Amino acid sequence: AKYTDSLSVVLTFVAPSNVSLIKICEDSFFRNAAWEPFIESKEWRFDIGDGTKKVYVKFQDESGKEISTTATDSIILDTKAFISLVTENTGGEVKTIGDPIHFTIASNEINGIATINIGEAIKGITLYDDGTSGDVTPYDGCYEADYIITKDVTAINSLVFGNFIDHVGNVAPPVAAARAAPRAGCRREPPPVPERPGAPASGRRSR
């Protein structure tokens, strides 16, 4: 696996049949590491902190001779997701059916799932990081979409929230957009006032 969301992993070792001792460390100089009886697998807990984790291993044979080659392997520890910025471009203007709204969720990870909620009115608007649907630069950790309002909904003074789940499954706390969308929905014109028979076109009484 290239990634893990757990501090605890299982290490599996392949060594010559005459190996009797093993030394394991996340430090290439093996500081504070001790020799222990060789086993083919061992549960290991990484030091706290996301990022690339490397494990170094040395072997010693039955005669007490250390095998010169140090084995190593690495994995990326990813225990949390976060959103650094959420934006929308309404500028506080009323948006109606057919109008576009550009949404952005900035994260530090690619291959995640990013969505937008507009209050309770519209939920789960999908944003993209593949260069399509309004995304400017593919695979840069910035998810975008040009959303077209397609149904008769109204969201008054509703906050726009961004949601993000990274590729490992970590869920970021929702983040509100820098600017609320005062109204997103269908703007209806008032119905025309019917004219009375014989009345002037202006609707005013003649004197």
Side-chain angles (χ1 to χ4, degrees), residues 5 9 11 28-29 37 55-56 59 76 78 83 101 105-106 108 110 113 116 125 130 141 144 160 187 205:
D5 61 354
V9 297
L11 306 177
S28 61
F29 294 100
V55 176
Y56 301 88
F59 301 102
I76 297 174
D78 186 353
I83 298 170
I101 305 176
I105 293 178
N108 66 328
I110 63 173
I113 299 172
I116 287 286
I125 299 171
D130 59 0
E144 302 177 78
V160 172
R187 178 171 51 200
R205 292 183 179 180

Side-chain angles (χ1 to χ4, degrees), residues 3-27:
Y3 293 87
T4 180
D5 61 354
S6 175
L7 285 169
S8 297
V9 297
V10 175
L11 306 177
T12 301
F13 312 106
V14 177
S17 58
N18 64 336
V19 165
S20 62
L21 298 176
I22 186 172
K23 186 184 288 188
I24 310 167
C25 196
E26 290 181 53
D27 174 13

